[in-house]
Structure formats: C-alpha cells, structure tokens
Amino acid sequence: MDETTAITRLKHLKKLLQIERDEDYLQYKEQFLKASIEQRKKNGVTWYPVKINSEELGYADLLQLEVERTTQLDGPHQFNSGKNITLFSNQSNNEVFEINATIKSAFRNKLKILVHADELPDWCYEGKLGVNIQFDDNSYNEMQKALDEVIGAKNNRVAELREILEGNDTIKFEKTNDDLIIQGLNLSQNKAIRKSLAAEDIAVIHGPPGTGKTTTLVNAIRVCLQTERQTLVCAPTNTAVDLLTEKLLEQGVTVLRLGHPARISEDLINSSVDGQVQRHQNYNEIKNLRKTAEEYFRLAGKFKRVFGKEDAKQRAAYYTEAKTCLKDARMLEDYVVNDLFNRVQVICCTPVTSTHKGLSRKKFNTLFFDEASQALEPIVWIPLLKCNRIILSGDHFQLPPVVKSLQAAKEGLGVTMLDRCIKFENAVSLLNRQYRMSSPIMAFSNNYFYNNELEADDSVKDHALSAEEDESFFTKPIEFIDTAGCSFDEEQNPETLSSFNVNEGILLFKHLQELINWHHTLDYTTSIDIGIISPYKEQINWLKENKINFEFNSEKISEMRVRTIDGFQGEECDIIYISLVRSNPEQQIGFLSDLRRMNVALTRAKKKLVVIGDSATIGSNPFYKSFIEYCEVNGFYRSAWEIIS
C-alpha cells in the first residue's frame, strides 16, 4: 500500500511530538539543575522540608503517606494528583536518597502520595524530607502510541477516519431529522444538534464566546443516547470534563467520571469510580478485606530490624496474609468497576485517562470532544481509536494548545484536529446567538474573528452597569485607557523572565476604586463581580500581592478574581479589566501577539470592559491598531493622563 498524504503528515507530526517532548524535558531539567532548592520552592516544583503526618495502606500494595510542607505555606505550587514525584532526604553528609511516588491528591499545603514500595526505607526517618516533581511523559507516550496505531491502520475504521480527516475521502451524513426541536434552544443550536446526530464520520459545533456551546453539546449527547446505549465524552482539561459531567447529571444522564479524585470537583466525587464503588452493594466486603490487610501490614511493620529466623518468618507470614487479602479485595473491586463501566450511559474523562484499563476492550459509536481548540491532534486520537465517529466542539479563535518548542510550533504541532475540520464547511455548524456580552463589547471580536455573524441576544445586548445616565466615562461599556507618554515602563523578573508593569497596576486599581464608588452612588442594591486579567503571570502576582493596599467598597463586590487569560477560559464577569503590561520603545509585544488568547480576554465581560495599555507599543500590530481605532470611533478611548492628573 502506497503511503498516503495522511500517513506522511502523521509521521511528521510524530517527529514534532518528540521535539516537543525533548523541549519540555529540557525546560524541566533547567528548573532543577540550574535552580537552587530555594528557587525550586519558589517555582512551586519542590517542597522542602516536609513532615509525614500519616502512613497507611494504599492501593495495589503501595504505602500511602500524607506529607505537609512546613515552609512557604500557601505559596503557589505545581503539584497535582496523578503527577509523579520523588520523596528525597538530605542527610548530614550531603548524600541524597530518593524514592519514587505518585500524588493521589493535592491540597494547598498537603499531599497524599502513593510510594512505590510496601514500606519506607530507614533513611526516611533520619534526615530532612522533601518532594520534587518528576518529569512525567505518560501523555507523550500515549500520544506516540496512538499515532503509531493510526499510521499503521489498514482496512479498518481507524484507517477510514485517518483519510477522511485528511480530506482524502468524502464526509458522509444521513438525512437530518428536521422534526427534532429541543425547547429552550435557539435555531442555530438545534441545527447544530441535528447535523451532529446525522454525521457518520465528523461534525463540528463551532461555539464562539457566550453562544451556549456546552449546553448545545450536552443536549446533543442526551439525544444521541436515545439511539446509542453508551457514549464517550472527553475534554482536554479536568475543569471542562467536570462541567460536562455536571451538566449531563442535570439532564438525568448517568455518568462515570474517570480521573484522580483530587482532580475531580468535590461536588462530582459521587460520579467518580471511587465514589460509585463506595456506594456499591459489595463495597463493605472490599473495605473489610482492606482493613484486615492493613492490620497484617501493621503487625509486619513492628519488625523494623530482623535479628532472628523466627522473627523473619513471622514477618513474612504477615506480609503474605496481607497481600492475599489485598488480592481478594482487588479482584472484587475489579468486578464492581467492570459492572459500573457497563451500566452507565456516559463515560467522561480527559483523553489520556481514556486509556483506563476499564476501557481497554470497549468500543463506542460516538466520541464527543469538547474544548477541541485546546487539544493537540495526537491527544484527540487517543480516545478516537475507540470510536466510529467524532463530534468536535470548540472555537478555533479561542485558546490554542500549549506548545513549548518554537520549532514544533513553527512546523505545525499546534494545528489541531479542530483547525483541520473547520475547513470542511459541510460538517460545521456555527452557533450565532450569544448570551453574555452587550452589543458594543461583542462587536470588535465579532467583526475581527467571526465575520459579523454573531448576534447579541435581546437579554444581553443592552447590558449596562447602571440604567442611570450621566456624563461619566463609567457609563460607557468599553474603555481603552492609553498609557502612551506616561513613562509606565514595563519591567522583567530576571528569574521568571515574565514582564510586569507597576504603574499600570496602580492605575488599574485607582480606576477600579473610582468605578466602584461611582456605581455605589447610583445603585445601592446590586453587587457586581469583577475579573482582572493579564497575559503575564508576574503582573498577576503583583496585582494579587498589592490589591490589599487599595480600599474597595466590599459591599458592592460579590467577587474579585485575578487570573491569567488561561485561568478565565469559559468564565465571565460583570466587569473585566485587562492589563496589557507591555510598554517599551522597541514596540515588542511578546505574548500579546497571541490573538486567540486576547480574543478570550476581550470576550469575558458582560457589562463593562476596561483595557489598559500603551498604544505606542501595541499600535504597530494590526489587531491592536484595529481595536484602538474601534474605541476611538465609538468614544471609548481616553488617555491615562485624565485619571492620574
């Protein structure tokens, strides 16, 4: 068989994935090899020292510990459940001992970890302990394995999907059911559902900001289940998977949420494997077996150092009994889990989690994949290998996937399956009615990204902070505050290389103080929620640390969130502030050139959007030039001098 264009491209994609993995590993090594232990603690990749709060029997003969950091309490960290770590000890002679472990659950200052051994080595009791994040290439391994299977596929459904996605074969649809109308959904949402259900191979639900993409997808899944016994539902982030699980449960769908408990919303734990196992009729039997095993392990643990044959024999006997109990518990638990996998209507998970052993032999007709703009193509193939067709949902003008290697990005690793499928016009359904922003806030992105195809629903098109009219700039739905000529020069943190702008932050808080006071004089009853966004982590850190220096009327604020753009994906607030940070004579804008991220930032506000930036720095970019012109034409432009003078 001759190599098709699809196979050639996927082989190249596999090489790019290896380049990305190598770059990721290089950056990881630099965090450890070039950084002192104090810097690693600050970066959130090391906790040292830690204390062991408890030891108990865990899953699969593994020892479970709870460890707690004793310094830098409440500081940010990168420890998440499922990540591999090393537990290490610095001895007095500078010798370092290590043992591998996996995080079972992560909290602000505590971790529950599974140590890859059935007892702790003696050195754990003799020196100061710490934990380091390990480089975890499990997702890379699974993506590479998936690509190998797709590349090697012949005369099967995977091979057909590979060629269809490449555009080498025609996308087929059954006749749409025009009688299908779901009450409460608009015309474009109903059309999208009808087209999705008629798809034999691929369909795309294109959901710009505020258009009810998740609502549409969940209803498509619900209707699909009228003809299919079970479906697989994926999204690239745990937050997105949680949202889908929550919405499906509200619709009365039975859902099994796969994933580590600490990465699942507490409200949804009952839908997880662990949560459902605990409610199963056989759970007490499993629990008793584990309890017995734990007692045997405790008895064996009393023999810390063995001096005689009889002691050694007794210790071995305890371990044998413990492991027998655990084996019986696991067999029973496997039966229960298998029963769960067969009974539920929807299995919801991230793509890598779809490799769960409970899904190893399962096949589905339909894969629903949400937030597809954020997923690398190889990661979508992981669950798609189990399915006959795929319904992609997302917006290719919003957050892209993270690609760390400049070379891999340049050569196309960041081109997603959604990017490729959006070109198949007959497969795409655009959701064109948005329910978040007032018309003026929507208008710029609508024109720049969506060919003016979006309409603001009547319920939001006239959104405003107050019905009162006055001469204040605060009544306007948008303000672009131009700091050009104010000498608000950006700075850079030499350790993180992230930019920040102190004067811009001060200006933002001063404006916010005045805005809240103004709103209070007009409306004594309504509180507002506020989001403060910046593309730069260092600016976010400065804003978080310094907001306590400004007095805000707390009675008027229901919530104030300060986050990077990625942290605001899928969220909204009455008022959004965006701090662009960059101000330099070279007109370098760095992250600001990522227009898809900026589109996310500009479309979070419901009633008022305030953007602060230096037109002399950003104005050379066509996107920002257009935005500034839009603000000038509509009376939304003002100079920072008006506020600071």
Side-chain angles (χ1 to χ4, degrees):
M1 170 179 161
D2 293 334
E3 187 168 291
T4 65
T5 54
I7 292 174
T8 303
R9 185 183 65 81
L10 289 168
K11 283 183 175 179
H12 180 62
L13 190 60
K14 190 180 172 190
K15 290 178 182 176
L16 296 183
L17 194 60
Q18 184 60 44
I19 291 170
E20 173 70 3
R21 183 206 173 280
D22 292 344
E23 175 62 26
D24 198 1
Y25 184 59
L26 180 66
Q27 290 184 19
Y28 163 81
K29 281 205 304 185
E30 286 180 347
Q31 279 188 309
F32 281 89
L33 296 180
K34 292 187 177 180
S36 66
I37 195 164
E38 287 302 318
Q39 184 58 49
R40 297 204 313 266
K41 286 164 65 176
K42 190 175 179 182
N43 292 343
V45 295
T46 294
W47 283 5
Y48 181 82
V50 299
K51 62 178 181 177
I52 297 176
N53 289 338
S54 65
E55 300 177 39
E56 60 185 7
L57 186 65
Y59 298 113
D61 299 354
L62 300 179
L63 189 65
Q64 179 173 294
L65 308 179
E66 182 183 86
V67 299
E68 182 176 3
R69 59 175 166 177
T70 57
T71 59
Q72 288 195 315
L73 300 182
D74 299 331
H77 65 79
Q78 299 180 36
F79 292 90
N80 292 310
S81 72
K83 279 194 174 182
N84 292 328
I85 60 170
T86 52
L87 182 68
F88 67 89
S89 173
N90 284 351
Q91 303 288 356
S92 56
N93 57 3
N94 291 326
E95 190 175 1
V96 179
F97 296 92
E98 293 182 336
I99 188 170
N100 292 332
T102 302
I103 300 174
K104 183 170 183 284
S105 51
F107 307 94
R108 185 169 292 179
N109 293 309
K110 295 178 182 178
L111 301 173
K112 285 187 177 178
I113 64 175
L114 293 175
V115 180
H116 299 178
D118 49 22
E119 63 176 328
L120 284 179
D122 289 341
W123 54 258
C124 288
Y125 304 97
E126 296 167 1
K128 281 187 176 180
L129 292 177
V131 287
N132 284 329
I133 288 178
Q134 276 188 324
F135 180 73
D136 189 356
D137 57 1
N138 181 48
S139 61
Y140 289 109
N141 292 337
E142 294 298 340
M143 285 190 280
Q144 294 280 17
K145 279 162 58 179
L147 286 178
D148 283 339
E149 188 170 339
V150 179
I151 290 166
K154 294 179 182 178
N155 303 319
N156 61 13
R157 184 55 176 160
V158 174
E160 290 173 358
L161 285 171
R162 178 188 67 209
E163 301 306 317
I164 291 167
L165 285 161
E166 197 68 24
N168 294 335
D169 286 341
T170 305
I171 298 176
K172 297 181 289 295
F173 289 86
E174 298 173 353
K175 188 177 185 304
T176 57
N177 178 10
D178 293 333
D179 294 331
L180 176 62
I181 299 173
I182 298 173
Q183 296 299 319
L185 299 189
N186 65 44
L187 181 62
S188 67
Q189 290 171 327
N190 272 298
K191 281 184 175 179
I193 292 171
R194 290 197 288 266
K195 173 156 278 195
S196 297
L197 297 177
E200 294 184 18
D201 314 297
I202 304 161
V204 176
I205 299 174
H206 180 196
T211 54
K213 170 179 62 66
T214 302
T215 299
T216 306
L217 186 67
V218 165
N219 276 280
I221 295 167
R222 183 179 59 79
V223 177
C224 178
L225 288 168
Q226 294 174 4
T227 54
E228 295 179 17
R229 194 182 69 80
Q230 197 174 63
T231 63
L232 182 59
V233 176
C234 288
T237 66
N238 281 286
T239 302
V241 177
D242 279 345
L243 179 61
L244 286 166
T245 303
E246 183 183 320
K247 297 296 183 186
L248 286 164
L249 290 170
E250 288 174 2
Q251 293 282 345
V253 176
T254 58
V255 184
L256 184 61
R257 166 70 165 99
L258 299 188
H260 284 271
R263 303 196 78 166
I264 299 173
S265 165
E266 284 188 18
D267 296 336
L268 301 174
I269 286 296
N270 285 341
S271 297
S272 70
V273 175
D274 288 344
Q276 296 201 35
V277 165
Q278 288 177 18
R279 298 200 316 280
H280 198 276
Q281 60 187 14
N282 296 109
Y283 177 66
N284 281 338
E285 192 176 346
I286 297 170
K287 189 177 177 182
N288 289 336
L289 283 166
R290 290 194 176 279
K291 193 173 181 181
T292 304
E294 192 169 336
E295 178 61 20
Y296 279 124
F297 271 119
R298 188 187 65 78
L299 292 170
K302 289 183 176 180
F303 298 90
K304 282 294 176 191
R305 287 180 172 78
V306 178
F307 296 105
K309 286 185 179 178
E310 287 303 314
D311 286 344
K313 198 172 179 182
Q314 185 63 58
R315 183 188 190 197
Y318 284 143
Y319 272 127
T320 299
E321 290 293 336
K323 289 178 180 179
T324 300
C325 290
L326 277 181
K327 183 180 177 183
D328 291 344
R330 280 199 305 276
M331 287 178 63
L332 186 55
E333 191 170 52
D334 286 345
Y335 163 77
V336 171
V337 170
N338 188 55
D339 184 44
L340 290 177
F341 274 92
N342 287 329
R343 281 194 289 112
V344 296
Q345 294 174 288
V346 169
I347 293 171
C348 237
C349 58
T350 58
V352 173
T353 311
S354 71
T355 60
H356 190 287
K357 66 179 182 179
L359 295 179
S360 59
R361 295 180 183 175
K362 275 194 168 291
K363 288 288 183 184
F364 303 87
N365 187 50
T366 308
L367 168 64
F368 290 92
F369 201 106
D370 197 15
E371 301 294 2
S373 69
Q374 297 181 58
L376 294 173
E377 181 180 344
I379 213 162
V380 181
W381 276 111
I382 297 173
L384 183 52
L385 290 172
K386 303 176 184 296
C387 305
N388 291 323
R389 64 172 182 163
I390 182 168
I391 313 301
L392 293 163
S393 175
D395 180 11
H396 55 298
F397 294 125
Q398 293 191 63
L399 289 183
V402 175
V403 178
K404 295 182 178 180
S405 165
L406 293 175
Q407 180 187 348
K410 187 177 179 182
E411 294 188 34
L413 181 61
V415 178
T416 66
M417 192 177 286
L418 179 67
D419 292 329
R420 302 181 64 75
C421 291
I422 209 81
K423 297 171 185 173
F424 305 140
E425 292 184 12
N426 64 322
V428 179
S429 301
L430 173 70
L431 306 181
N432 64 7
R433 183 167 290 274
Q434 73 84 16
Y435 299 88
R436 175 184 298 154
M437 299 160 271
S438 66
S439 294
I441 295 174
M442 177 191 75
F444 177 74
S445 285
N446 191 19
N447 177 58
Y448 200 93
F449 294 103
Y450 304 108
N451 300 314
N452 286 320
E453 292 185 70
L454 304 186
E455 296 177 12
D457 189 71
D458 288 344
S459 62
V460 300
K461 68 179 184 180
D462 297 320
H463 258 343
L465 280 180
S466 176
E468 301 285 338
E469 291 187 13
D470 63 21
E471 298 300 315
S472 169
F473 231 100
F474 297 137
T475 61
K476 297 181 183 295
I478 301 175
E479 290 182 56
F480 174 69
I481 302 174
D482 190 358
T483 65
C486 295
S487 299
F488 283 11
D489 297 335
E490 66 187 63
E491 300 175 65
Q492 188 181 65
N493 184 318
E495 293 175 347
T496 64
L497 302 181
S498 180
S499 298
F500 64 105
N501 193 317
V502 172
N503 285 322
E504 190 170 289
I506 293 170
L507 176 68
L508 186 156
F509 284 135
K510 184 177 180 183
H511 184 279
L512 177 56
Q513 279 179 317
E514 294 177 0
L515 174 61
I516 293 169
N517 291 336
W518 164 84
H519 188 250
H520 181 61
T521 61
L522 296 181
D523 187 338
Y524 289 91
T525 57
T526 308
S527 61
I528 47 181
D529 58 329
I530 297 157
I532 301 175
I533 304 176
S534 178
Y536 291 93
K537 286 183 180 177
E538 203 62 40
Q539 184 74 347
I540 292 299
N541 291 340
W542 186 93
L543 291 165
K544 284 181 176 179
E545 289 170 5
N546 288 276
K547 71 177 181 179
I548 58 172
N549 298 325
F550 295 82
E551 292 183 7
F552 302 107
N553 187 339
S554 59
E555 292 179 6
K556 300 302 296 180
I557 303 173
S558 58
E559 189 175 9
M560 187 188 295
R561 285 169 269 172
V562 185
R563 297 180 190 163
T564 60
I565 295 173
D566 290 36
F568 255 98
Q569 170 76 348
E571 296 195 20
E572 59 188 33
C573 284
D574 295 320
I575 303 170
I576 289 287
Y577 279 82
I578 305 174
S579 174
L580 297 179
V581 175
R582 301 310 295 265
S583 180
N584 58 76
E586 296 79 23
Q587 297 182 316
Q588 293 180 353
I589 64 170
F591 284 151
L592 300 187
S593 59
D594 188 341
L595 304 186
R596 289 166 62 167
R597 276 189 163 78
M598 193 49 56
N599 183 38
V600 171
L602 291 172
T603 54
R604 299 304 98 193
K606 294 191 286 186
K607 299 177 180 178
K608 186 171 182 68
L609 172 66
V610 182
V611 182
I612 305 175
D614 182 349
S615 65
T617 298
I618 66 174
S620 59
N621 180 283
F623 173 83
Y624 293 99
K625 183 182 179 186
S626 297
F627 178 71
I628 294 167
E629 288 173 352
Y630 171 73
C631 291
E632 288 175 334
V633 167
N634 289 280
F636 303 151
Y637 173 94
R638 67 190 300 198
S639 170
W641 286 111
E642 298 175 34
I643 301 169
I644 61 179
S645 58

